[in-house]
Amino acid sequence: MGEPTVKTKEGRSATPSPITDEEADATGAPTEASREPAADPAHERSWLARARSPRRPRIWFEILLIAVSYWTYSLIRNAVPEQRTKALENADWIWHTEQLLGIAVERSINHSVNSVTWLIVGMNYYYATLHFIVTIGVLIWLFRRHPGRYAAARLVLFATTGVALLGYYLYPLAPPRLMTGSRFVDTVAHHETWGSMASGDLKSMSNQYAAMPSMHIGWSLWCGLIIFALAKAPWTKLLGLLYPAATLVVIVATANHFWLDAVGGTVCLMFGFAVSYVWYGSLPAGLPRATGEAPPRRRLWVRNGGVRDVHGVLDAPDGVPETARETRETPAVAASRGAHTAP
């Protein structure tokens, strides 16, 4: 009696391959255990699945959403009671603590940069304008070049800004320039420039005691990380990293923030990335660039030199002919398949 036979694709009989799951795993071939079950169509059609799937953004909706969101943020931020006494007490405590720890560098930077008129005037305008210009520019770039990642990146920004409002309410903080007896220089007032919504004629339009956390850092770091992760040119990536670093120097030199406010802004940004990750199941860079594309494949090395992605699909190692790459089989698996097929 011979071994049982099965029909091949061409209709010919063949004996089943004696390769076990253990042997197949050793050669790198996908086994039954490594294959994921098919997606549930009912789940894919659910509203939650659709909401969490990257979709091409609509420009009219995005403009309206950003405008309304920023108006709401400004309204809530400025509606927080200006607790001047408490804000000054908190500022004194932070400054005293930094001095005890030997990390109180803000006043030295403020005085040094203020002595160079052209530099501090430039920083005043930097503080007042680039905060909005660069952030909007990155959003437009994402909208045009990375539509599949746009919604996730936007959610990071919105969640970061939203949680910052909680910080303004719970921890009112005066900026260094408003402290009494600390000898900080309000660079906008000193040089009579338009450089801060919280100085001069514009101070009535902004809550002056909402310094913690710093959204100048939160937004600039968001811009920098997005550019570094998604841009292709090395010089662009470098600019992405330099932008939040330059912003940190500016907010300290103009006496608008303690450097610990920047730490608060960074924590808020981490929260924003966490929210986006929970909702989309990936960081923005891990999502497909355009809607309808498959996400970038994450790969794991296996013993035969090939790479297996998270779904158990095997890629041929370097040096394998293109025919083997197209069938996603290693030479050993292809040979064993041919040896056990009846002529």
Side-chain angles (χ1 to χ4, degrees):
M1 295 181 63
E3 295 182 352
T5 60
V6 294
K7 288 187 176 182
T8 63
K9 185 176 181 180
E10 293 79 6
R12 295 177 295 180
S13 298
T15 57
S17 172
I19 298 179
T20 64
D21 283 351
E22 291 77 7
E23 293 170 339
D25 183 66
T27 61
T31 64
E32 291 297 328
S34 67
R35 298 189 183 98
E36 291 189 350
D40 182 4
H43 173 73
E44 293 299 327
R45 290 193 299 268
S46 70
W47 70 269
L48 182 61
R50 291 196 302 271
R52 297 176 69 178
S53 300
R55 292 175 291 177
R56 186 169 187 83
R58 294 165 291 180
I59 187 168
W60 65 266
F61 175 79
E62 295 302 324
I63 293 175
L64 181 63
L65 178 63
I66 292 173
V68 171
S69 299
Y70 183 74
W71 175 80
T72 304
Y73 162 76
S74 299
L75 185 67
I76 296 175
R77 182 179 186 269
N78 296 333
V80 175
E82 291 195 357
Q83 305 175 51
R84 181 176 184 277
T85 302
K86 183 63 175 176
L88 289 173
E89 289 177 357
N90 289 338
D92 288 336
W93 183 87
I94 286 183
W95 183 237
H96 180 67
T97 302
E98 287 188 357
Q99 287 178 317
L100 289 178
L101 297 176
I103 55 176
V105 298
E106 292 90 338
R107 189 167 60 194
S108 298
I109 296 175
N110 173 237
H111 284 230
S112 298
V113 178
N114 185 65
S115 63
V116 184
T117 302
W118 65 268
L119 181 58
I120 194 60
V121 169
M123 287 187 174
N124 285 342
Y125 290 123
Y126 179 115
Y127 184 87
T129 59
L130 291 192
H131 179 53
F132 303 101
I133 294 173
V134 176
T135 304
I136 293 174
V138 172
L139 284 170
I140 294 173
W141 174 66
L142 286 170
F143 181 90
R144 292 178 58 86
R145 303 298 299 272
H146 299 268
R149 296 160 176 160
Y150 174 86
R154 183 197 62 198
L155 179 58
V156 175
L157 187 65
F158 279 25
T160 300
T161 306
V163 75
L165 292 172
L166 188 62
Y168 301 148
Y169 182 81
L170 296 177
Y171 196 77
L173 180 67
R177 59 184 175 77
L178 292 183
M179 294 175 63
T180 56
S182 58
R183 296 186 290 112
F184 279 96
V185 178
D186 186 336
T187 58
V188 171
H190 183 76
H191 294 278
E192 299 180 349
T193 59
W194 181 79
S196 173
M197 291 289 288
S199 292
D201 297 334
L202 299 175
K203 62 183 179 182
S204 60
M205 298 175 60
S206 179
N207 183 354
Q208 299 190 75
Y209 304 108
M212 172 67 83
S214 169
M215 280 300 93
H216 273 76
I217 290 298
W219 289 14
S220 66
L221 190 56
W222 174 85
C223 293
L225 292 177
I226 291 295
I227 292 172
F228 179 79
L230 301 181
K232 294 182 179 180
W235 66 268
T236 308
K237 291 179 177 290
L238 179 60
L239 286 179
L241 295 180
L242 290 177
Y243 175 53
T247 302
L248 176 60
V249 175
V250 167
I251 66 172
V252 171
T254 56
N256 279 293
H257 290 279
F258 295 101
W259 71 266
L260 286 179
D261 299 344
V263 175
T266 303
V267 172
C268 289
L269 182 64
M270 293 171 62
F271 172 82
F273 272 111
V275 170
S276 182
Y277 184 87
V278 169
W279 182 253
Y280 287 100
S282 173
L283 295 176
L287 295 172
R289 177 175 181 174
T291 54
E293 292 183 357
R297 294 173 59 191
R298 291 174 292 175
R299 297 178 170 185
L300 302 173
W301 289 101
V302 293
R303 282 173 291 181
N304 69 339
V307 287
R308 189 191 301 276
D309 70 6
V310 292
H311 300 296
V313 179
L314 188 72
D315 279 346
D318 294 337
V320 176
E322 290 298 323
T323 54
R325 289 180 181 272
E326 293 174 0
T327 58
R328 297 184 181 275
E329 292 180 343
T330 61
V333 175
S336 65
R337 188 182 298 278
H340 295 286
T341 303

